[in-house]
Amino acid sequence: TALKGCKKEEKADREFQKKFKFEGSITVLTRMMVDPAATERRGGGKNLPLRRGEILDVIQFTNQEQLLCRNSQRR
């Protein structure tokens, strides 16, 4: 149901905020696609797995080399 999906998303968002010490509401600044020619990598720790062509939500530009993003599973 839609309500169940909404609660699941809220829980994922709370876990995200806790893990990254992110305060305030989560706002998607933009979306980016992982380069289709990129080398796929397994995730670990706070790093997302990289999958070619995957669309990611950009939450925060943390520095010139890193972005705070989430994937379609809200991770």
Side-chain angles (χ1 to χ4, degrees), residues 11-68:
K11 183 179 179 196
D13 286 355
R14 283 194 305 274
E15 289 172 359
F16 177 93
Q17 288 168 316
K18 184 177 178 183
K19 183 174 186 174
F20 292 99
K21 297 177 176 69
F22 191 88
E23 295 182 10
S25 60
I26 296 171
T27 305
V28 176
L29 301 176
T30 189
R31 289 195 162 101
M32 294 182 150
M33 178 189 287
V34 176
D35 186 341
T39 302
E40 293 199 357
R41 291 195 311 222
R42 294 180 64 189
K46 293 185 177 180
N47 293 318
L48 277 172
L50 283 182
R51 293 188 176 92
R52 293 183 192 110
E54 182 176 32
I55 305 293
L56 300 174
D57 293 338
V58 177
I59 308 297
Q60 186 178 57
F61 293 93
T62 53
N63 61 45
Q64 291 186 344
E65 296 180 12
Q66 293 183 321
L67 303 169
L68 182 58

Side-chain angles (χ1 to χ4, degrees), residues 1-12 14 74:
T1 64
L3 183 60
K4 186 176 180 181
C6 187
K7 287 196 181 285
K8 191 175 182 179
E9 288 179 359
E10 287 175 10
K11 183 179 179 196
R14 283 194 305 274
R74 299 179 87 84

